[in-house]
Amino acid sequence: GENVEQHPSTLSVQEGDSAVIKCTYSDSASNYFPWYKQELGKRPQLIIDIRSNVGEKKDQRIAVTLNKTAKHFSLHITETQPEDSAVYFCAAKGLTGGGNKLTFGTGTQLKVEL
Amino acid sequence: ETGVTQTPRHLVMGMTNKKSLKCEQHLGHNAMYWYKQSAKKPLELMFVYSLEERVENNSVPSRFSPECPNSSHLFLHLHTLQPEDSALYLCASSQGVGDTDTQYFGPGTRLTVL
């Protein structure tokens, strides 16, 4: 089955700096990679996703890159703001195991300091 | 924020109690999911339902019993739980179970087993 590893587990940045979170996956058949943001006490919310037919996707201050050869993908947040502080989860979904399973990373606690 | 709702939001139960968690989605989706979120661990998929049929059971103990009476409602019946079952239980829904279907999460039920 799929295995997703996420690094770092915690990340502190100064407001205005960039933050990068990296994930690797094991199943070469995986073709969908969403990123979720979970604020304290709230539900995980999808912030951006990427499908395997593209290498990069951007939405305002958030971008995701995908390297299918190396089986890794990354989340980039530019010009960080205090409201970006949250736990971020990457995930991968593919065709093995019935194609239903979204496998999550262990999360990254991002803290944006003033 | 009201697309996927869960009740109750908090639940404390003894090991001999029987309780049920409820999830409802208002998005017109055909697939629903139960996840368990424990501290320092990735989200763990428990069950997947597609068009009211269970399509995945991730080796979940029988003390957790799901029920999906229609495509809008999903229940998780709990009985004789253990303290290690204390966690945040998240429901999610998606349009289908295709490999790129986005999952939307509910707010979760914080369960404490005494």
Side-chain angles (χ1 to χ4, degrees):
Chain A
E2 176 69 279
N3 181 47
V4 176
E5 295 191 0
Q6 183 172 348
H7 300 279
S9 57
T10 60
L11 179 60
S12 288
V13 298
Q14 293 294 314
E15 182 180 7
D17 288 349
S18 295
V20 180
I21 303 170
K22 298 181 179 181
C23 289
T24 61
Y25 61 99
S26 60
D27 185 357
S28 58
S30 290
N31 57 2
Y32 175 62
F33 307 91
W35 285 88
Y36 286 85
K37 174 185 180 182
Q38 187 175 27
E39 296 177 63
L40 188 62
K42 296 191 175 182
R43 74 188 75 199
Q45 290 198 301
L46 179 75
I47 54 171
I48 195 168
D49 57 13
I50 191 167
R51 290 165 171 76
S52 60
N53 57 344
V54 297
E56 184 174 359
K57 183 176 179 181
K58 191 174 181 180
D59 182 4
Q60 300 183 330
R61 297 187 296 109
I62 295 173
V64 58
T65 58
L66 171 65
N67 183 327
K68 286 213 73 178
T69 302
K71 290 188 284 188
H72 65 71
F73 56 113
S74 301
L75 178 71
H76 305 254
I77 306 174
T78 58
E79 301 173 29
T80 53
Q81 301 168 2
E83 52 264 38
D84 294 328
S85 296
V87 178
Y88 291 81
F89 294 95
C90 64
K93 191 176 186 188
L95 299 176
T96 58
N100 304 338
K101 189 170 181 178
L102 195 58
T103 303
F104 285 84
T106 50
T108 296
Q109 175 75 60
L110 173 65
K111 184 177 181 181
V112 179
E113 299 176 333
L114 297 172
Chain B
E1 290 290 338
T2 59
V4 183
T5 58
Q6 289 185 244
T7 55
R9 296 294 309 277
H10 300 272
L11 178 62
V12 179
M13 59 187 291
M15 289 190 284
T16 58
N17 292 157
K18 288 185 179 181
K19 297 287 185 183
S20 295
L21 310 184
K22 179 183 176 182
C23 176
E24 185 173 359
Q25 58 94 3
H26 311 271
L27 301 170
H29 289 167
N30 294 312
M32 297 186 77
Y33 310 76
W34 280 117
Y35 285 89
K36 176 183 179 182
Q37 187 175 33
S38 305
K40 309 295 183 185
K41 295 176 70 175
L43 276 77
E44 301 171 57
L45 179 66
M46 301 174 73
F47 302 103
V48 181
Y49 275 82
S50 175
L51 297 171
E52 299 131 55
E53 287 193 22
R54 191 189 311 179
V55 296
E56 186 144 351
N57 177 346
N58 258 19
S59 303
V60 179
S62 59
R63 57 185 184 270
F64 295 92
S65 175
E67 178 189 1
C68 188
N70 55 63
S71 59
S72 298
H73 294 86
L74 185 66
F75 295 89
L76 188 63
H77 304 299
L78 317 171
H79 63 97
T80 59
L81 294 191
Q82 305 297 312
E84 58 264 30
D85 296 321
S86 299
L88 181 68
Y89 288 85
L90 289 161
C91 172
S93 72
S94 63
Q95 182 61 50
V97 290
D99 51 336
T100 59
D101 280 302
T102 300
Q103 294 181 24
Y104 297 89
F105 285 86
T109 295
R110 173 67 64 184
L111 173 67
T112 302
V113 181
L114 300 176

